[in-house]
C-alpha cells in the first residue's frame, strides 16, 4: 500500500487540467519571466495547509491562479477551471490517484499582481485524494 500523502496533487491536477483546457492555455506550477508571452496561464500550487487521516486519505489545499491579458478573460477561465474541478474531478481515477471530495475554500476573485499588463484571478480548493490501490 502507498504511503499517505504519496499523491503529487499538484502534478495530478495539472495533467488533468491540461487534458481539458484549450491547448493555448499553459498549465504549470511555477511562473517564469516570460509570463506575458504565455497568456493565458493557469498556475497550480499546493499550499502548506490541509492534512490527512493517517492512513491513506490526503486533504490538500490547492491555490489555482489564472493569469490573462484582461480581467474578463481571467475571470472566465477561472470560472471554467472551477466548474471542471467541482463537476468533473470528483470521482476521477488517474494512474496514480483517486479524487474524492472537492470543495471551494475561497472562490475565484481578483488578486493583485505587480505587473499591470496582465490580470490575476485566484481561488483555493480543498481536494481529497488517495493513492490508487
Amino acid at each position: 500500500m502507498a504511503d499517505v500523502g504519496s499523491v503529487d496533487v499538484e502534478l495530478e491536477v495539472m495533467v488533468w487540467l491540461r487534458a481539458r483546457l484549450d491547448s493555448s492555455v499553459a498549465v504549470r506550477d511555477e511562473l517564469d519571466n516570460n509570463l506575458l508571452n504565455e497568456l493565458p496561464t493557469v498556475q497550480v500550487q499546493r499550499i502548506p495547509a490541509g492534512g490527512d487521516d493517517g492512513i491513506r486519505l490526503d486533504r490538500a489545499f490547492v491555490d489555482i491562479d489564472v493569469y490573462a491579458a484582461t480581467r474578463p478573460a481571467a475571470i472566465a477561465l477561472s470560472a471554467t477551471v472551477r466548474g471542471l474541478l467541482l463537476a468533473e474531478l470528483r470521482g476521477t481515477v488517474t494512474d496514480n490517484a483517486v479524487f474524492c471530495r472537492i470543495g471551494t475554500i475561497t472562490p475565484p476573485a481578483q488578486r493583485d499582481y505587480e505587473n499591470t499588463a496582465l490580470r490575476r484571478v485566484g481561488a483555493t480548493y480543498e481536494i481529497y485524494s488517495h493513492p490508487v490501490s
Side-chain angles (χ1 to χ4, degrees):
M1 174 170 27
D3 294 333
V4 68
S6 62
V7 172
D8 184 341
V9 173
E10 279 183 11
L11 179 60
E12 292 294 320
V13 170
M14 284 188 302
V15 169
W16 188 85
L17 283 172
R18 283 182 193 132
R20 283 152 186 83
L21 294 173
D22 187 271
S23 62
S24 66
V25 177
V27 180
R28 59 203 314 170
D29 55 356
E30 294 182 4
L31 302 178
D32 60 28
N33 293 330
N34 199 29
L35 181 59
L36 275 176
N37 297 316
E38 299 169 338
L39 298 177
T41 291
V42 174
Q43 182 184 28
V44 178
Q45 292 185 300
R46 182 174 184 157
I47 60 175
D52 58 64
D53 68 353
I55 303 170
R56 290 175 48 88
L57 189 64
D58 185 30
R59 177 179 168 231
F61 287 2
V62 177
D63 247 1
I64 298 185
D65 286 319
V66 171
Y67 298 85
T70 66
R71 184 177 180 172
I75 290 169
L77 182 52
S78 190
T80 297
V81 168
R82 184 181 189 193
L84 287 169
L85 292 175
L86 297 179
E88 295 183 26
L89 182 58
R90 181 180 303 151
T92 296
V93 179
T94 68
D95 289 342
N96 303 307
V98 176
F99 289 94
C100 311
R101 184 175 150 212
I102 314 291
T104 305
I105 301 298
T106 57
Q110 180 78 25
R111 291 182 176 176
D112 291 335
Y113 195 68
E114 61 271 5
N115 187 335
T116 58
L118 57 84
R119 296 295 176 260
R120 174 182 170 204
V121 172
T124 305
Y125 300 93
E126 179 181 45
I127 299 176
Y128 286 83
S129 66
H130 63 80
V132 172
S133 296

